[in-house]
Amino acid sequence: MMASLELAKARLTSFAVHEAAGISPLYELLAGRAKDDDEVAALLAAAPENFAHGTLFFAAAQRLVQAEPWIELASYYLTMGGSFGPDERVWPLFREFVLDRADRMRELISTRTTQTNEVRRAAPMFPAIAQAAKEAAKVSKGPIGLLDVGTSAGLLLGVDRYGFRYQNEAGEQVNAGPAKTPLVLTCAASGKPLPRLPKKLAVGAKVGLDRRPIDLRDEEELAWLEACVWADQPERSRTLRVAAEMQEKDRPTLVAGDAVDDLAAAAAQVPAELPLVVLTSHVLPYMSDDRRQEFVAAVAALAATRPLWWVSQEHYLAAMTYLVPGRKEFEDHPKENWGLLGLVRWESGKPDARLLGRTGAHGQSLSWL
């Protein structure tokens, strides 16, 4: 079912208030105006209900700006070399731009999905993945296999090749991952002290599952991935480029399919002798409640066939609520710690779910519980 105008306006409102506010001044301003503009908001109604989110709307707009980098609006897109901050001119420019290209906007919004392959999200996930690998070593010596659901271009699967630097407010640092790497991801750490983290994570297979996997060798696909990066956050764009270059030497297996229906088939691409670590990061909110429950059941069914750990970086109400219900303290939407890092292991059919930390929406922070 396609989104209604009312839903599109509600999603833009939620994006402005809960996601962009205090993080992206440009998108906060534009979403705040778009939510009250029926003509502009109606463009987002071209998307199916599950995918009609502000992130998709602004990705479509940025993809069109990429194609016309000489226009004045591009001066506000720092990811494209612009240098202007949001001012009174940007909304009229943006409104005119998207309405003049309404057919192209609707085409992108109706055929694409948000595929923000946020590399930095690997930073808060790494401690949980390392813990899963440590536990897996008690079951089977050797490497683990990774299956990233909702993988986009598979950049989270490079977690074993990235370096990580966790720094608290006192300036103390914890470094993890390989010392010699082209990409070191930083993450603000708070809460309880992090556990001891390894320098090496042994991974024997990498598989990504997505409705529409992105092949980074295709320039058009890479351009869409870059369009999904918020336009006033150029550092995220740079990180994406470096990770994409690193993947050229370590390409994962990407499988086109549904997160529920094709989960077992994708997992079969990971050799059976490898303990399997399933990853999800900001994927489940795009599913209906019923479908999310079916996904959890599918992971549980898979865990009955092989040693399996699920590392989840999702909002509490989209994932861990099905395994650890009633934790109302995690139901809010704090901007700095939107996600909940969970680690689940099934023993004799029963889930052992651990809530490890609160995470920033783009991987910028981790509050260890």
Side-chain angles (χ1 to χ4, degrees), residues 77-330:
Y77 281 67
L78 307 190
T79 51
M80 297 174 56
S83 59
F84 292 4
D87 56 26
E88 70 281 356
R89 285 279 297 148
V90 68
W91 169 247
L93 286 171
F94 181 85
R95 185 180 192 278
E96 180 181 15
F97 179 82
V98 296
L99 292 180
D100 283 351
R101 296 156 184 79
D103 288 343
R104 292 161 67 191
M105 281 287 292
R106 282 190 285 264
E107 179 184 1
L108 285 171
I109 287 170
S110 64
T111 59
R112 288 285 191 172
T113 59
T114 305
Q115 291 180 293
T116 307
N117 205 166
E118 181 55 70
V119 183
R120 199 175 177 185
R121 289 176 183 157
M125 295 186 81
F126 182 77
I129 297 171
Q131 179 62 33
K134 181 179 179 181
E135 295 175 11
K138 299 175 183 178
V139 176
S140 174
K141 298 296 183 181
I144 58 173
L146 296 178
L147 171 57
D148 183 24
V149 180
T151 195
S152 188
L155 295 180
L156 281 183
L157 291 167
V159 64
D160 59 322
R161 302 185 64 214
Y162 306 146
F164 302 98
R165 181 177 300 125
Y166 304 89
Q167 183 167 319
N168 63 21
E169 293 182 351
E172 300 169 327
Q173 290 186 1
V174 173
N175 296 307
K180 294 182 179 180
T181 175
L183 184 59
V184 176
L185 302 173
T186 59
C187 183
S190 60
K192 294 182 179 180
L194 290 173
R196 185 180 180 87
L197 299 175
K199 297 295 183 183
K200 181 179 180 180
L201 181 68
V203 178
K206 301 178 179 182
V207 177
L209 174 63
D210 200 282
R211 290 164 54 93
R212 184 176 177 175
I214 288 181
D215 185 346
L216 292 176
R217 292 169 291 188
D218 184 323
E219 281 297 321
E220 177 59 32
E221 294 296 286
L222 179 57
W224 175 251
L225 201 60
E226 291 182 315
C228 289
V229 174
W230 294 9
D232 52 0
Q233 299 180 353
E235 181 60 25
R236 290 175 60 197
S237 185
R238 185 199 72 81
T239 299
L240 172 63
R241 277 283 179 176
V242 174
E245 292 173 2
M246 292 176 67
Q247 195 191 79
E248 292 179 6
K249 299 179 180 179
D250 183 29
R251 294 201 177 277
T253 299
L254 299 183
V255 178
D258 181 78
V260 178
D261 299 337
D262 299 298
L263 182 67
Q269 299 289 318
V270 177
E273 66 270 16
L274 298 183
L276 180 62
V277 179
V278 176
L279 311 177
T280 64
S281 178
H282 296 256
V283 173
L284 301 190
Y286 293 96
M287 301 180 188
S288 67
D289 179 73
D290 287 345
R291 201 59 172 163
R292 288 195 289 261
Q293 293 186 61
E294 290 171 0
F295 174 77
V296 174
V299 176
L302 192 57
T305 68
R306 63 190 299 175
L308 181 150
W309 287 256
W310 174 26
V311 175
S312 164
Q313 185 177 208
E314 308 282 354
H315 191 275
Y316 169 73
L317 292 176
M320 288 298 105
T321 187
Y322 304 114
L323 298 172
V324 189
R327 299 296 296 272
K328 292 189 178 297
E329 70 270 29
F330 296 123

